[in-house]
């Protein structure tokens, strides 16, 4: 019998998953994740697991499976990845985003980075190990979720609310977004492991005024009131606040303590990391949507805006106090999506297992904690006491703008990086 080779299989698994359209526009009207879930479940069943497909709504499907470890007395580990992807305009891409094309040494397509690459790596490693009869040291729960790209209402949050028993014994987790390499001049190859995430505050703002003719005086204009409030929010300079994870990042990279007043200059010296790390120094609010009026010469009685707010762990109260002060008394807010910030200390056996697995495959690897400015399904799993990290191990070419491909055009992942990830994850499961 020919045993499965995860390094060979991961590329085809990734291509297959990309070809399955699981686009999620956030309106619950897309194709859903059912086809991708069935594909994943079939691959797991082939190596003896008994995966469950659970639907929160029509075609909004997640897959859960458990692998029994050699020591049932140990806490279980959760490996999670999401099956949905964000929308795309195929006309903008060099290769069709649902093609799974291999070109220039990369697998191309929507999800190649976020995050069908990790789904494929998990599948490849699990299939390789179980085919060879290699059980992990501890129970491992596999979760391939729906709806992460729209906040997880139909995916991880639904699973935690309706089926928490599926995660019984799980205390730790790995998922996205971390474990990938960034080459920084003078610092070598850093592997950024996500140890924290900013909280989410997507808000809908509203102002009401007096409707009237556009040619007349009106001192109660809803559009003016809202526009001024949105301008105050968008231009506000939030103070630098260094959380434990960001402080640890600076200490690992610069080997000295970086103070708040020096943080922006320190980030500016990091080259390609400016975009990722810069947003983790402070709370942020970005206006994204404006809606008001229906005719040029009619003053509307209402105006609405939406903003994307992100708050640092430990600073949620300060964030909302400031937002309300900037909005003023005549603009109301309600949540479109509100979710917690999370932060996990970068220490302990699981962190050592990640660092050791990386170093075994890349002796030049330096595992460094960082904070993600966005959010992942870890927010949902944290509600049932699971602490986790972003660990999708990829050794990347120094000139690849990897972070810029999240939700971007021409999303792609190097074939060699996928193979590297399989080797690292395989070692990690042995070490953890």
């Amino acid at each position: 019998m020919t045993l499965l080779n995860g390094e060979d299989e991961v590329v085809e698994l990734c291509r297959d998953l990309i070809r399955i359209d699981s686009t999620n526009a956030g309106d619950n009207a897309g194709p859903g994740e059912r086809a991708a879930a069935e594909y994943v479940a079939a691959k797991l069943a082939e190596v003896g697991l008994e995966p469950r497909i659970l639907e929160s709504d029509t075609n909004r499907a997640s897959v859960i499976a458990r692998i029994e470890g050699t020591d049932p007395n140990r806490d279980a580990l959760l490996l999670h990845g999401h099956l949905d992807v964000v929308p795309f305009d195929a006309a903008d891409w060099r290769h069709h985003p649902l093609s799974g094309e291999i070109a220039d040494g990369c697998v191309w397509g929507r999800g190649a980075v976020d995050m069908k690459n990790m789904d494929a790596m998990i599948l490849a490693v699990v299939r390789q190990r179980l085919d060879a009869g290699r059980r992990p040291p501890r129970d491992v729960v596999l979760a391939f979720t729906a709806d992460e790209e729209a906040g997880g209402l139909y995916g991880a949050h639904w699973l935690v609310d309706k089926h928490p028993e599926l995660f019984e014994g799980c205390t730790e987790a790995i998922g996205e977004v971390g474990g990938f390499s960034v080459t920084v001049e003078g610092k070598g190859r850093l592997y950024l492991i996500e140890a924290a995430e900013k909280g989410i505050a997507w808000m809908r703002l509203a102002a009401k005024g007096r409707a009237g003719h556009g040619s007349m005086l009106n001192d109660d204009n809803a559009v003016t009131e809202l526009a001024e409030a949105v301008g105050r929010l968008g231009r506000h300079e939030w103070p630098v606040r260094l959380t434990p994870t960001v402080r640890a990042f600076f200490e690992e990279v610069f080997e000295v303590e970086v103070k708040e007043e020096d943080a922006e200059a320190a980030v500016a010296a990091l080259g390609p990391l400016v975009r990722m790390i810069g947003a983790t120094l402070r709370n942020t609010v970005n206006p994204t949507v404006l809606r008001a009026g229906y005719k040029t010469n009619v003053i509307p009685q209402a105006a609405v805006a939406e903003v994307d707010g992100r708050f640092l762990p430990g600073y949620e109260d300060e964030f909302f106090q400031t937002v309300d002060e900037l909005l003023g008394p005549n603009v109301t807010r309600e949540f479109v999506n509100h979710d917690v910030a999370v932060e996990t200390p970068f220490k302990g056996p699981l962190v050592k297992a990640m660092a050791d697995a990386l170093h075994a495959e890349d002796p030049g690897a330096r595992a460094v904690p960082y904070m993600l400015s966005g959010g992942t399904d870890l927010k949902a799993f944290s509600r049932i006491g699971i602490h986790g990290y972003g660990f999708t191990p990829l050794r990347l070419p120094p000139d690849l703008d990897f972070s810029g491909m999240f939700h971007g055009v021409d999303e792609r992942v190097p074939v060699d990086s996928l193979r590297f990830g399989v080797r690292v994850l395989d070692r990690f499961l042995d070490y953890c």
Side-chain angles (χ1 to χ4, degrees):
M1 180 178 67
T2 302
L3 295 178
L4 293 170
N5 185 315
E7 284 190 64
D8 292 338
E9 192 177 36
V10 67
V11 177
E12 291 309 311
L13 291 169
C14 188
R15 298 181 74 194
D16 286 349
L17 286 167
I18 288 170
R19 291 169 181 145
I20 300 172
D21 186 1
S22 54
T23 303
N24 180 6
D27 56 6
N28 200 30
E33 301 84 5
R34 179 77 196 195
E38 290 178 350
Y39 175 90
V40 167
K43 291 297 182 182
L44 295 175
E46 284 178 1
V47 290
L49 293 179
E50 298 180 355
R52 292 183 60 184
I53 298 178
L54 299 102
E55 279 196 347
S56 56
D57 202 349
T58 304
N59 291 326
R60 305 312 305 272
S62 300
V63 183
I64 305 291
R66 183 180 286 260
I67 306 170
E68 292 187 4
T70 56
D71 184 356
N73 294 318
R74 292 188 59 192
D75 292 335
L77 173 71
L78 172 64
L79 269 61
H80 62 97
H82 62 84
L83 297 172
D84 61 323
V85 297
V86 296
F88 53 82
D89 184 346
D92 296 333
W93 290 56
R94 280 182 274 172
H95 302 280
H96 194 283
L98 296 180
S99 69
E101 185 75 27
I102 295 180
D104 302 321
C106 295
V107 178
W108 294 63
R110 179 59 88 212
V113 167
D114 186 12
M115 64 171 294
K116 290 180 176 179
N117 59 346
M118 180 61 163
D119 296 333
M121 287 157 55
I122 293 172
L123 283 175
V125 169
V126 166
R127 284 169 55 80
Q128 174 182 268
R129 292 179 69 95
L130 294 183
D131 187 53
R134 295 171 53 222
R135 293 164 59 194
R138 60 203 286 195
D139 279 14
V140 173
V141 174
L142 308 175
F144 298 86
T145 62
D147 199 40
E148 190 276 344
E149 295 293 2
L153 180 65
Y154 294 95
H157 280 290
W158 181 83
L159 289 168
V160 165
D161 288 339
K162 303 298 184 181
H163 297 281
E165 73 282 355
L166 296 174
F167 307 98
E168 184 178 354
C170 288
T171 57
E172 297 176 310
I174 64 164
E176 58 172 354
V177 176
F180 56 90
S181 69
V182 177
T183 302
V184 179
E185 185 176 355
K187 306 298 178 183
R189 204 159 35 251
L190 310 179
Y191 285 83
L192 303 188
I193 296 176
E194 184 216 304
E197 299 178 3
K198 294 175 81 172
I200 297 174
W202 296 350
M203 294 172 285
R204 183 174 294 112
L205 314 178
K208 294 183 178 180
R210 187 175 66 253
H213 198 289
S215 69
M216 298 183 183
L217 297 176
N218 190 318
D219 59 0
D220 189 17
N221 189 313
V223 176
T224 302
E225 189 73 46
L226 183 71
E228 289 175 347
V230 169
R232 290 193 295 270
L233 273 180
R235 293 190 180 92
H236 181 68
E237 294 188 11
W238 296 85
V240 172
R241 300 281 191 250
L242 299 186
T243 70
T245 296
V246 175
R247 289 185 185 278
F249 169 85
F250 284 136
E251 290 172 5
E252 288 285 344
V253 173
F254 295 105
E255 299 179 348
V256 295
E257 180 182 357
V258 174
K259 298 180 179 180
E260 290 184 345
E261 57 266 29
D262 301 321
E264 289 185 298
V267 169
L270 294 175
L273 288 181
V274 169
R275 183 168 48 208
M276 289 193 73
I277 304 302
T280 66
L281 300 182
R282 50 170 54 88
N283 298 324
T284 58
V285 175
N286 282 305
T288 53
V289 176
L290 285 170
R291 288 190 295 268
Y294 48 89
K295 195 172 186 295
T296 304
N297 65 341
V298 177
I299 299 171
Q301 64 181 4
V304 175
E306 293 178 9
V307 298
D308 183 336
R310 309 283 175 146
F311 53 88
L312 298 168
Y315 292 93
E316 182 173 0
D317 290 345
E318 178 185 81
F319 173 82
F320 285 115
Q321 180 180 347
T322 303
V323 166
D324 289 340
E325 290 173 355
L326 292 170
L327 290 179
N330 298 322
V331 176
T332 63
R333 63 173 173 86
E334 64 180 10
F335 289 120
V336 177
N337 185 13
H338 179 209
D339 214 337
V340 297
V342 294
E343 190 159 30
T344 305
F346 195 67
K347 61 182 179 181
L350 198 69
V351 169
K352 185 177 187 303
M354 290 187 286
D356 288 349
L358 285 168
H359 194 264
E361 292 298 331
D362 180 4
R366 290 181 60 199
V368 175
Y370 89 106
M371 181 189 297
L372 179 68
S373 61
T376 75
D377 280 338
L378 181 60
K379 295 182 184 303
F381 297 127
S382 72
R383 291 169 45 206
I384 53 174
I386 298 175
H387 304 283
Y389 301 92
F391 186 61
T392 302
L394 299 167
R395 178 171 174 171
L396 300 169
D399 59 348
L400 183 68
D401 182 13
F402 187 71
S403 65
M405 286 189 289
F406 282 85
H407 299 189
V409 173
D410 289 337
E411 190 178 343
R412 61 197 181 277
V413 62
V415 169
D416 288 345
S417 300
L418 290 172
R419 295 179 181 273
F420 173 86
V422 167
R423 297 196 301 271
V424 173
L425 281 179
D426 188 54
R427 288 183 182 273
F428 168 74
L429 288 180
D430 283 335
Y431 295 165
C432 73

